[in-house]
Amino acid sequence: MQLQSMYQEIILDHYRNPHGRGLREPFEAEVHHVNPTCGDEVTLRVHLDGDTLADVSYEGMGCSISQASVSAMYELVIGKSVPEALETGEHFTTLMQSKGDASVAEKLEDELEDAIAFAGVSKYPARIKCALMSWMALKDASARALAAAQTGGKA
């Protein structure tokens, strides 16, 4: 129970003090994702330096889980290559599919850092989409940014 309380504090801290919030320029791609089941929204921009995520900026509104998730994601992906960031997103997805299995969380703890705090969310199917929304937006924006880089435009 003490661990769950610590995880709740991490989520609330990211919600109250979001990291990376605010849409910034330059950027190669911008996407807007909405969770239709609850109305959470995020607009996310990706700025690449080669295939490295030089910046991820965002604005959003919604529940503490969706907004804290994008903040924790920001911390995890800045400075990583797009493939590394997407792999981290796959690890987060695995955590969300774990249904609260502590052994899965334990295996992913080092990789996910603060995002491991969302392990408890995986017990609540209705909330999983809230936690995954920003990761899906990152996947979408990264693909668009890489495509734009190949054609010399913006997505």
Side-chain angles (χ1 to χ4, degrees):
M1 197 61 144
Q2 192 174 10
L3 185 61
Q4 190 171 355
S5 177
M6 183 182 78
Y7 284 172
Q8 288 173 346
E9 282 303 312
I10 290 170
I11 291 171
L12 286 174
D13 184 55
H14 275 281
Y15 177 66
R16 292 178 184 138
N17 306 297
H19 303 196
R21 187 175 184 91
L23 294 174
R24 292 181 291 281
E25 297 203 20
F27 65 96
E28 285 72 43
E30 177 180 290
V31 299
H32 182 77
H33 281 225
V34 177
N35 180 349
T37 59
C38 64
D40 293 342
E41 296 185 30
V42 67
T43 300
L44 188 130
R45 290 180 176 173
V46 168
H47 174 53
L48 299 178
D49 181 4
D51 80 336
T52 300
L53 289 168
D55 192 24
V56 174
S57 62
Y58 66 92
E59 283 293 337
M61 61 182 209
C63 70
S64 60
I65 291 170
S66 71
Q67 299 307 297
S69 181
V70 69
S71 173
M73 179 195 74
Y74 168 84
E75 289 293 312
L76 283 171
V77 302
I78 294 300
K80 286 187 175 180
S81 70
V82 171
E84 290 170 329
L86 296 179
E87 182 179 2
T88 301
E90 290 301 318
H91 290 262
F92 189 77
T93 301
T94 298
L95 180 70
M96 289 298 97
Q97 294 169 342
S98 72
K99 298 181 180 168
D101 183 339
S103 68
V104 173
E106 190 175 309
K107 288 177 193 170
L108 296 172
E109 190 170 7
D110 290 339
E111 170 75 21
L112 294 179
E113 299 174 14
D114 276 2
I116 201 68
F118 294 87
V121 172
S122 69
K123 297 177 190 175
Y124 304 99
R127 304 312 301 262
I128 292 171
K129 286 183 181 181
C130 301
L132 285 175
M133 180 180 65
S134 58
W135 291 93
M136 297 302 106
L138 178 69
K139 189 175 183 179
D140 184 11
S142 296
R144 291 179 188 209
L146 288 171
Q150 290 177 350
T151 62
K154 260 191 186 172

